[in-house]
Amino acid sequence: MNTARDTSTDLPAIAFNQVRPEGDELAHVSAAITSGLTQSSGPYTARATEILKAETGCPEALLTTSCTAALELSALLLDLQPGDTVIVPSFTFVTSALAYVREGAKVKFCDIEPETLGPDPKHVAELLDDTVRAVVVVHYAGVACDMDGLREVLKDRPDVAIVEDTAHALFGRWRGQPLGSLGRFATLSFHQTKNIVCGEGGALLLNDPEDVRRAWVLYDKGTDRKAFFQGFVDKYSWRDVGSSFGMSDALAAYLYGQLEVRESIQARRRAVYEGYLEALGPYAEEVGLRLPVIPEHVDPAYHLFHVLLPDHETRGRAIKELAAQNISTTFHYVPLHNSEGGRQFSAYASDDVPDCPVTIDVSERLLRLPFHNHLTRTDVERVSEALVGVLRA
Ligand SMILES: Cc1ncc(COP(=O)(O)O)c(C=O)c1O
């Protein structure tokens, strides 16, 4: 690698993310619209759902308008009561916590462990008490978190639901098992930044068959319309709480087009991921760069590529100097536990929120590199050379 610093600005731009049709998405969307069947639960929804069920082994999957909506549906299914709490890592997206707050729960923020950047089982154990109804488990960047540790902590608490926030992690595996199949619920995102996209979209995966019937009612505006269409009741009516969670079949057609070519998408993302590891690996120690840690029993989902830089100041400088070389990089989650909303909705008084030092440290030093299906080997090498050059300076 030529790691001499090149600060010229006439190099072509390397975008952080890039979304293009990968297969027959346009034909499927056109067919859905031409058919006139664009409401939720249409034929493309059925086809996309079958693929998700086969890939994750989950008995039921409901396509939603976003991962946020899927988290909200899981919160409704938990029937949260006043005084209930949910443990959520501080290092995640806002709605991993907000979905439960909307149903009246308070949040206990847990720290992350420094390797996988998933929830720290030791901190979860400290926070666990009789008020806890669920633990939200985020597999950051598509790398499974410490599920052994979490299962050990929760082994005597079958009343505490595991919700896998699998926004990053579709197609990842832990000990050979698909991510999304390890808890009572799992949520997926098909937002345009994810591996499989449809603009905005998501899914709720149900692993407990006991949840399926009620989930369909809550999903479909509190009605038993699904049972009506299946011929189990002769008219449908209002049965329970709920909302309009369903994804339009026009978007499900887009999603199905992406899922059809999932193997090629994943293979290209894997090549980019491994390209970064290969290009940066030899310099990591010298320039103080920490590469992603992938435990032996984990198959990553290749969602994003992050590195940890020596400190906050270096991260700021790297973003600026890489931008000057037409390379787009970014930071990631801002800690939730000490945010305005986090303090407001925490289970603790606002000045008594538990400390999450690893979250704060990682949030200040983490840098995300360009990562998408169309990044070439040359792009990966140029980004890696530029980053090493910045860190050597
Ligand atoms: C871990 C995590 N959960 C949930 C979400 C929300 O996803 P969506 O935009 O599909 O609602 C995101 C968004 O990126 C996320 O990173």
Side-chain angles (χ1 to χ4, degrees):
M1 182 197 286
N2 170 16
T3 54
R5 272 181 105 206
D6 182 351
T7 52
S8 55
T9 50
D10 55 355
L11 292 164
I14 298 185
F16 181 71
N17 186 36
Q18 196 180 88
V19 184
R20 296 187 207 160
E22 305 288 352
D24 291 335
E25 294 96 320
L26 298 176
H28 290 311
V29 172
S30 172
I33 293 172
T34 307
S35 75
L37 298 172
T38 51
Q39 64 181 32
S40 68
S41 304
Y44 276 111
T45 298
R47 291 161 86 175
T49 302
E50 278 318 304
I51 294 177
L52 293 176
K53 282 162 59 176
E55 287 287 346
T56 58
C58 295
E60 188 61 296
L62 283 71
L63 296 191
T64 56
T65 51
S66 62
C67 183
T68 297
L71 288 159
E72 289 171 352
L73 184 50
S74 79
L76 277 180
L77 284 161
L78 284 170
D79 257 336
L80 296 164
Q81 301 299 317
D84 285 348
T85 65
V86 175
I87 297 178
V88 181
S90 176
F91 191 67
T92 182
F93 190 69
V94 172
T95 53
S96 313
L98 179 56
Y100 305 95
V101 166
R102 290 193 64 201
E103 288 311 308
K106 296 281 187 192
V107 181
K108 291 183 163 194
F109 290 105
C110 71
D111 206 355
I112 51 172
E113 54 86 18
E115 304 233 304
T116 63
L117 311 187
D120 180 351
K122 288 199 282 313
H123 198 196
V124 171
E126 279 169 34
L127 297 176
L128 203 59
D129 63 18
D130 289 347
T131 67
V132 176
R133 298 289 314 287
V135 178
V136 178
V137 163
V138 178
H139 305 297
Y140 183 73
V143 172
C145 64
D146 180 1
M147 287 304 300
D148 287 314
L150 288 164
R151 283 186 167 180
E152 177 62 25
V153 166
L154 295 173
K155 71 176 190 299
D156 297 325
R157 292 295 305 271
D159 58 313
V160 175
I162 290 183
V163 183
E164 280 181 275
D165 181 337
T166 322
H168 299 186
L170 176 62
F171 309 128
R173 284 180 176 261
W174 173 82
R175 298 199 183 284
Q177 297 173 59
L179 301 183
S181 68
L182 307 175
R184 178 169 159 194
F185 304 114
T187 61
L188 303 178
S189 176
F190 306 117
H191 181 265
Q192 70 170 27
T193 50
K194 300 302 189 294
N195 296 29
I196 300 289
V197 305
C198 69
E200 297 272 4
L204 178 67
L205 307 180
L206 303 170
N207 287 309
D208 183 346
E210 299 258 305
D211 282 319
V212 172
R213 204 176 186 165
R214 182 159 188 248
W216 273 110
V217 172
L218 273 49
Y219 176 83
D220 215 348
K221 295 114 175 161
T223 73
D224 54 357
R225 187 157 58 169
K226 171 90 172 170
F228 169 68
F229 284 132
Q230 289 174 329
F232 294 128
V233 290
D234 57 6
K235 54 177 130 24
Y236 71 87
S237 62
W238 187 8
R239 311 288 295 206
D240 204 333
V241 294
S243 191
S244 182
F245 285 106
M247 176 192 284
S248 157
D249 219 51
L251 277 187
Y254 182 0
L255 177 65
Y256 176 68
Q258 288 259 306
L259 285 169
E260 274 187 313
V261 290
R262 61 196 177 283
E263 281 177 19
S264 112
I265 290 175
Q266 285 303 100
R268 279 179 282 148
R269 297 181 83 89
R270 179 178 181 161
V272 173
Y273 197 95
E274 289 176 352
Y276 275 130
L277 288 178
E278 210 175 292
L280 291 169
Y283 302 92
E285 204 177 322
E286 176 205 335
V287 298
L289 190 73
R290 206 204 73 181
L291 295 169
V293 178
I294 304 161
E296 216 176 285
H297 55 275
V298 168
D299 299 317
Y302 308 111
H303 170 51
L304 59 83
F305 194 88
H306 69 280
V307 291
L308 291 183
L309 301 190
D311 52 49
H312 185 55
E313 187 275 326
T314 309
R315 203 257 314 261
R317 189 166 61 78
I319 293 177
K320 233 162 107 187
E321 293 189 14
L322 292 171
Q325 296 183 50
N326 255 341
I327 296 170
S328 180
T329 60
T330 187
F331 56 90
H332 209 176
Y333 302 127
V334 176
L336 297 182
H337 70 284
N338 56 7
S339 67
E340 191 183 330
R343 286 177 185 278
Q344 190 180 340
F345 301 118
S346 151
Y348 305 90
S350 85
D351 49 3
D352 199 21
V353 178
D355 213 13
C356 296
V358 182
T359 297
I360 289 178
D361 176 51
V362 165
S363 171
E364 289 186 342
R365 297 194 290 123
L366 186 142
L367 181 73
R368 295 169 67 187
L369 303 184
F371 198 85
H372 56 78
N373 304 345
H374 300 282
L375 217 58
T376 65
R377 184 82 190 183
T378 313
D379 292 334
V380 168
E381 281 171 5
R382 193 178 123 207
V383 173
S384 304
E385 281 174 20
L387 178 60
V388 170
V390 166
L391 296 178
R392 273 191 176 152

